[in-house]
Amino acid sequence: MLVTGGAGFIGANFVHHTLRHHPEYEVGVLDLLTYAGNRNSLRTVADQIELHQGDICDAALVDRLVARSDLVVHFAAESHVDNSLSDPEPFVRSNLVGTFTLLEAVRRHGARLHHISTDEVFGDLALDTTDRFTETTPYDPSSPYSATKAGSDMLVRAWVRSYGIHASLSNCANNYGPLQHVEKFVPRQVTNVLTGARPKLYGGGVNVREWTHVDDHNSAVHLILERGRPGETYLIGSGDERSNRQIVEMVLELMGLPRDDYDRVPDRPGHDLRYANDTTKIRTELGWRPRFADLRQGLAATVDWYRENEWWWRPGKELTESRYRRAGR
Ligand code: NAD
Ligand code: TDX
């Protein structure tokens, strides 16, 4: 199995999950180790995997690695919406050209591909409805990030239909858990508190996300690898929707601080209002169930992980906050 982006948040958790629960796989990782990739996330399993530092846009390298693999699980991407607003170029490159490069290698060598995507490709939902995205919701991305993820999904689907490659896709809601970069919402707030700064809430904090533990995302991906149908798309999500304000208040409470001890900062341009996935298909067809049913407990464990692993997140914290300061957030 070749895992692209295996030194990032979800990819590294996927590598650990795979070695723990599916020892039948030999795991190789292809990761450029951008600012978001972290070799330390794979430190404890370094002798059980092959880690290749390289670019998914490097056609010769990708060809060589895919030729040796039966299966490619594709997590590698530029993943942060705010960064895509300030500098979209790496998103077009890694998310579109990178996925294209992998698809061509998969086509040449007949490997199977599972493509990891996001609910953001569908755009957003109104705050005052109970509507949910389904596998057939039309694509309507808002940000450069989600537009390039939407484009990469389209490329995978076209390669399935036109070239008959064996590929599946999944679109998951927001993930939380250990090993997530401090630029993202939950770790940013937790590490702000741990460094004596206040959490930062964009706009009114009314935007809603569906929070899914990273290990539940990864168990869903393994079910798709085992039982998913070729060419199919599966939506993944816990069903637990919360406003950003609720999450900040919960984090503050879990960390022993007053619930209103946060700053409001200017809103993200084009900020998607609400995401929510209808996960009937993966639940009924594949029998998937999230194990982390209690968000509060999952967040408490995540807070503990950041408390205990300052060595892991501290080196990137100041640079991340200096980027936010430049953006006024
Ligand atoms: P991340 O930013 O933490 O990790 C991305 C990894 O990809 C990093 O290790 C980085 O070094 C690597 N990478 C980037 N460009 C590369 C390139 N050109 N070649 C090789 N490696 C490269 O991201 P994440 O949060 O772990 O997200 C992983 C995937 O899951 C992405 O495809 C993302 O769109 C998707 N996703 C994320 C979430 C979420 O909540 N984080 C939700 C749904 C879907
Ligand atoms: O400091 C902050 N304050 C704040 O209010 C940050 C960093 C974010 N926010 C808000 C913006 C969003 O409404 O919190 C919400 C979550 O923000 P992000 O962590 O940036 O996630 P989001 O934009 O929702 O995208 C995430 O989920 C879908 C991932 O980063 C994507 O990779 C994934 O595809």
Side-chain angles (χ1 to χ4, degrees), residues 113-153:
L113 174 75
H114 182 71
H115 175 70
I116 304 293
S117 193
T118 169
D119 54 4
E120 297 195 24
V121 298
F122 302 115
D124 62 356
L125 300 161
L127 288 175
D128 55 357
T129 66
T130 52
D131 293 351
R132 296 182 160 265
F133 302 129
T134 72
E135 283 78 5
T136 56
T137 300
Y139 277 31
D140 187 19
S142 315
S143 70
Y145 163 69
S146 51
T148 57
K149 290 299 290 185
S152 68
D153 292 12

Side-chain angles (χ1 to χ4, degrees), residues 78-82 117-120 145 149 172-175 180 183-186 188-189 200-203 205 207-209 211 244 248 265 268 271-272 275 324 329:
E78 286 291 336
S79 69
H80 194 40
V81 173
D82 292 321
S117 193
T118 169
D119 54 4
E120 297 195 24
Y145 163 69
K149 290 299 290 185
C172 190
N174 284 61
N175 285 208
Q180 186 168 31
E183 70 191 357
K184 301 298 196 306
F185 182 48
V186 169
R188 183 181 187 206
Q189 315 315 335
K200 309 286 180 214
L201 195 59
Y202 293 175
N207 307 62
V208 169
R209 299 292 184 261
W211 290 97
N244 295 339
V248 164
V265 295
R268 172 187 282 174
H271 198 172
D272 281 340
Y275 307 136
Y324 277 123
R329 287 197 283 277

Side-chain angles (χ1 to χ4, degrees), residues 2 10 35 51 108-109 112 128 140 150 161 163 175 188 210 215 229-230 233 242 244 250 253 284 296 313 315 323:
L2 179 66
I10 308 176
Y35 81 95
L51 173 58
R108 272 192 300 276
H109 297 290
R112 175 177 175 191
D128 55 357
D140 187 19
R161 169 129 185 192
Y163 301 121
N175 285 208
R188 183 181 187 206
E210 178 183 358
D215 215 41
R229 287 180 291 140
T233 293
R242 308 284 174 134
N244 295 339
M250 205 185 287
E253 213 180 301
T284 53
R296 195 187 168 78
W313 58 263
R323 273 196 206 146

Side-chain angles (χ1 to χ4, degrees), residues 2-238:
L2 179 66
V3 182
T4 72
F9 163 48
I10 308 176
N13 277 287
F14 180 80
V15 169
H16 289 287
H17 183 106
T18 303
L19 295 172
R20 209 175 308 125
H21 300 292
H22 303 273
E24 67 276 17
Y25 287 110
E26 279 175 40
V27 179
V29 167
L30 171 59
D31 197 298
L32 187 55
L33 297 175
T34 67
Y35 81 95
N38 192 335
R39 203 182 273 280
N40 283 329
S41 302
L42 298 171
R43 199 180 58 150
T44 56
V45 295
D47 57 349
Q48 298 171 61
I49 61 171
E50 265 183 37
L51 173 58
H52 306 271
Q53 181 172 3
D55 194 334
I56 53 167
C57 301
D58 178 342
L61 172 65
V62 166
D63 187 79
R64 215 167 48 246
L65 294 176
V66 171
R68 296 169 48 206
S69 312
D70 300 318
L71 170 64
V72 180
V73 187
H74 178 33
F75 292 91
E78 286 291 336
S79 69
H80 194 40
V81 173
D82 292 321
N83 294 344
S84 83
L85 293 165
S86 51
D87 181 13
E89 195 274 343
F91 289 75
V92 172
R93 215 183 141 270
S94 293
N95 301 359
L96 288 169
V97 180
T99 301
F100 160 73
T101 308
L102 271 175
L103 283 166
E104 285 294 81
V106 160
R107 176 155 84 98
R108 272 192 300 276
H109 297 290
R112 175 177 175 191
L113 174 75
H114 182 71
H115 175 70
I116 304 293
S117 193
T118 169
D119 54 4
E120 297 195 24
V121 298
F122 302 115
D124 62 356
L125 300 161
L127 288 175
D128 55 357
T129 66
T130 52
D131 293 351
R132 296 182 160 265
F133 302 129
T134 72
E135 283 78 5
T136 56
T137 300
Y139 277 31
D140 187 19
S142 315
S143 70
Y145 163 69
S146 51
T148 57
K149 290 299 290 185
S152 68
D153 292 12
M154 297 297 188
L155 290 174
V156 176
R157 289 186 184 173
W159 261 241
V160 168
R161 169 129 185 192
S162 298
Y163 301 121
I165 66 162
H166 183 168
S168 43
L169 302 90
S170 53
N171 298 73
C172 190
N174 284 61
N175 285 208
Y176 72 96
L179 301 172
Q180 186 168 31
H181 194 279
V182 292
E183 70 191 357
K184 301 298 196 306
F185 182 48
V186 169
R188 183 181 187 206
Q189 315 315 335
V190 172
T191 58
N192 271 8
V193 173
L194 292 175
T195 53
R198 280 155 63 100
K200 309 286 180 214
L201 195 59
Y202 293 175
V206 295
N207 307 62
V208 169
R209 299 292 184 261
E210 178 183 358
W211 290 97
T212 303
H213 194 277
V214 63
D215 215 41
D216 283 330
H217 181 181
N218 286 328
S219 71
V221 172
H222 267 289
L223 267 185
I224 297 168
L225 296 179
E226 280 158 32
R227 290 187 236 147
R229 287 180 291 140
E232 291 290 315
T233 293
Y234 296 88
L235 298 197
I236 303 167
S238 65

Side-chain angles (χ1 to χ4, degrees), residues 231-307:
E232 291 290 315
T233 293
Y234 296 88
L235 298 197
I236 303 167
S238 65
D240 198 336
E241 291 180 47
R242 308 284 174 134
S243 72
N244 295 339
R245 190 156 61 84
Q246 284 177 305
I247 296 288
V248 164
E249 289 174 352
M250 205 185 287
V251 165
L252 283 163
E253 213 180 301
L254 287 167
M255 299 185 81
L257 290 168
R259 288 160 61 90
D260 60 355
D261 200 6
Y262 60 82
D263 293 331
R264 285 177 194 265
V265 295
D267 209 351
R268 172 187 282 174
H271 198 172
D272 281 340
L273 288 173
R274 174 174 162 256
Y275 307 136
N277 279 344
D278 179 337
T279 54
T280 307
K281 181 173 172 181
I282 193 164
R283 286 172 192 259
T284 53
E285 214 176 273
L286 306 183
W288 176 75
R289 294 280 176 282
R291 206 166 54 86
F292 291 81
D294 184 334
L295 177 64
R296 195 187 168 78
Q297 253 177 35
L299 273 183
T302 304
V303 168
D304 287 345
W305 188 88
Y306 281 90
R307 263 193 217 289

